[in-house]
Amino acid sequence: EVQLVESGGGLAQPGRSLTLSCSASGFTFEDYAMFWVRQAPGKGLEWVSAISWNGGTKGYADSVQGRFIVSRDNSKNSLYLQMNSLRPEDTALYYCAKDGGGVGATGLHYWGQGTLVSVSS
Amino acid sequence: QSALTQPRSVSGSPGQSVTISCTGSSSNVGGYNAVFWYQQHPGKAPKLMVFEVSKRPSGVPDRFSGSKSGNTASLTISGLLTEDEADYYCSSQAGAYTWVFGGGTKLTVL
């Protein structure tokens, strides 16, 4: 059974940093592209970042480009999102999701339950 | 990375059909077959309903069907059930390793 478990969320002050983690199990992690998607309270889904199966290709939304860094450790079956220079508008539930293929063009077939990030002074 | 445009809400009665549109541009929906639809019930994680414009993951009923014409994708749900009441989001590749979501559509089954 595919499982994705996010962690690392919490309360952070504007300008500070947080690192989210996503622990994966139930599939061959190194074969699949992985995504971060967020949802602000009461709002819609927003794509944040994606990383290919081997970490060689990464993409970011304009809203986080230059502030967030996505990475993965295939030996640990883990995905990460380092979030720097946090802003109040980064407040959201952050989902980790698994693509159906290695490069990220076949849809997010599995999702975690999310980890909540709140940015406030 | 402009969000894709969806109607804020649609409604239908049990047994009827509804169609949700998703309008983008040649830079996203019109330029890629990587177009997806997700269903989200309140308090739950999204669920993939359609991928690559019109394919259904295993377990998704064939009442859900996707299509695309030009820069607009559509999700049609036939034989509406009360359990179909949820938020629906379209998504598309929007460039070299970038993606975009629509604003979401609330489906009410009357």
Side-chain angles (χ1 to χ4, degrees), chain A residues 39 47 61-62 103-104 107-108, chain B residues 1 36 38 40 52 89 97 99:
Chain A
Q39 187 168 34
W47 173 73
D62 289 344
V103 294
L108 303 180
Chain B
Q1 297 164 357
F36 316 100
Y38 298 90
Q40 187 180 35
E52 295 178 7
Y89 296 90
Y97 231 69
W99 279 262

Side-chain angles (χ1 to χ4, degrees), chain A residues 3-117:
Chain A
Q3 287 198 333
L4 299 170
V5 180
E6 303 92 338
S7 60
L11 177 64
Q13 291 183 324
R16 304 300 292 263
S17 298
L18 273 179
T19 297
L20 306 184
S21 300
C22 172
S23 178
S25 61
F27 65 101
T28 305
F29 182 72
E30 64 188 14
D31 286 348
Y32 294 92
M34 298 294 295
F35 284 61
W36 289 102
V37 176
R38 69 185 181 184
Q39 187 168 34
K43 302 297 184 181
L45 301 175
E46 180 186 13
W47 173 73
V48 174
S49 183
I51 184 168
S52 63
W53 64 279
N54 63 353
T57 305
K58 303 175 184 180
Y60 300 94
D62 289 344
S63 58
V64 306
Q65 179 76 48
R67 298 189 299 122
F68 289 11
I69 300 171
V70 64
S71 62
R72 63 190 297 160
D73 186 336
N74 287 344
S75 69
K76 296 183 178 179
N77 290 346
S78 293
L79 172 72
Y80 306 100
L81 186 68
Q82 180 180 337
M83 304 186 298
N84 302 318
S85 302
L86 283 164
R87 303 169 180 169
E89 54 264 37
D90 295 321
T91 294
L93 184 65
Y94 283 73
Y95 290 104
C96 163
K98 168 189 171 295
D99 191 74
V103 294
T106 53
L108 303 180
H109 292 245
Y110 292 93
W111 296 65
Q113 289 304 304
T115 186
L116 185 62
V117 172

Side-chain angles (χ1 to χ4, degrees), chain B residues 6-78:
Chain B
Q6 299 181 232
R8 296 201 67 166
S9 64
V10 297
S11 63
S13 300
Q16 289 187 333
S17 295
V18 295
T19 296
I20 301 172
S21 61
C22 171
T23 301
S25 70
S26 58
S27 298
N28 40 64
V29 173
Y32 296 91
N33 276 334
V35 177
F36 316 100
W37 288 92
Y38 298 90
Q39 176 193 65
Q40 187 180 35
H41 287 107
K44 301 294 187 181
K47 175 184 177 183
L48 181 66
M49 305 302 284
V50 170
F51 66 102
E52 295 178 7
V53 177
S54 59
K55 300 178 181 178
R56 280 185 306 276
S58 60
V60 172
D62 59 7
R63 301 184 297 104
F64 292 83
S65 63
S67 63
K68 187 180 80 167
S69 177
N71 297 334
T72 299
S74 299
L75 175 70
T76 298
I77 310 170
S78 59

Side-chain angles (χ1 to χ4, degrees), chain B residues 74-98:
Chain B
S74 299
L75 175 70
T76 298
I77 310 170
S78 59
L80 275 175
L81 302 176
T82 54
E83 66 207 49
D84 298 333
E85 186 163 294
D87 293 325
Y88 290 84
Y89 296 90
C90 63
S91 177
S92 170
Q93 188 164 358
Y97 231 69
T98 60

